[in-house]
Amino acid sequence: MPGRRFSYRSGMETPADHLPGTHLLVDLYGAAHLTDAAALERILCDAAGAAGATIIATHFRVFPGAAGVTGMVLLAESHISIHTWPELGFAAVDIFMCGAADADAARMALEAAMAPTRAEVVAVARGQARDQRNQ
C-alpha cells in the first residue's frame, strides 16, 4: 500500500515499498543445466527481470570435475543465488527480494527454465514482526 510506513523497535520508520521483503528457499530436484554456469547465469538474470529487479552484478563459478556451479546475481533489491549438485540432480536457490520486486515471479521464471521434476519452496517474510505480516 503506497505511503504506508512501518515502525520498528529501534524507533526508525520504513516505507512499505522498502521493507526487507520475501526470502524464498527453493529446492529443485531433477533440474536441467546443473553444470552449465553460462545457462544458469542467463536463467537467474531472466528471473531477476521477471521479478522487476535491478541487476547490479553477477558472479558464477564452475567446480572442477563437473561438481556443480555456484552463482550469485546481486540486485538492488537483494539477491538470487544458486548452488548445484549435479551428482544428486539438485539445486538450492535463494531468492530474496525487497520493495516492489516479486520473488514469486522470479521463482516461476527459474522453474520454467530449469524444468525440475519436483520443487519445494519455503517462503520467509524477512524483517517483519509477526503481527505486521497479517495486516
Side-chain angles (χ1 to χ4, degrees):
M1 174 182 288
R4 187 170 180 191
R5 299 184 78 78
F6 291 89
S7 295
Y8 292 89
R9 282 182 243 167
S10 67
M12 296 184 66
E13 289 190 358
T14 302
D17 65 345
H18 286 84
L19 286 173
T22 302
H23 194 164
L24 300 181
L25 307 175
V26 183
D27 288 351
L28 302 177
Y29 299 89
H33 311 293
L34 299 179
T35 59
D36 187 341
L40 290 171
E41 183 172 6
R42 184 185 74 253
I43 289 166
L44 269 63
C45 286
D46 289 349
T54 305
I55 297 171
I56 295 172
T58 65
H59 187 80
F60 285 75
R61 181 179 189 279
V62 178
F63 291 101
V69 174
T70 189
M72 168 77 73
V73 176
L74 182 63
L75 306 170
E77 299 80 5
S78 197
H79 71 273
I80 303 175
S81 63
I82 190 165
H83 193 85
T84 70
W85 287 263
E87 69 277 15
L88 302 176
F90 175 74
V93 180
D94 275 10
I95 302 172
F96 187 16
M97 302 281 172
C98 67
D102 186 345
D104 204 50
R107 178 196 57 79
M108 290 186 291
L110 184 111
E111 287 184 26
M114 294 186 70
T117 57
R118 187 175 94 214
E120 295 180 3
V121 180
V122 174
V124 179
R126 303 298 300 265
Q128 299 173 47
R130 186 172 302 275
D131 60 333
Q132 291 173 337
R133 292 181 193 160
N134 297 323
Q135 292 181 359

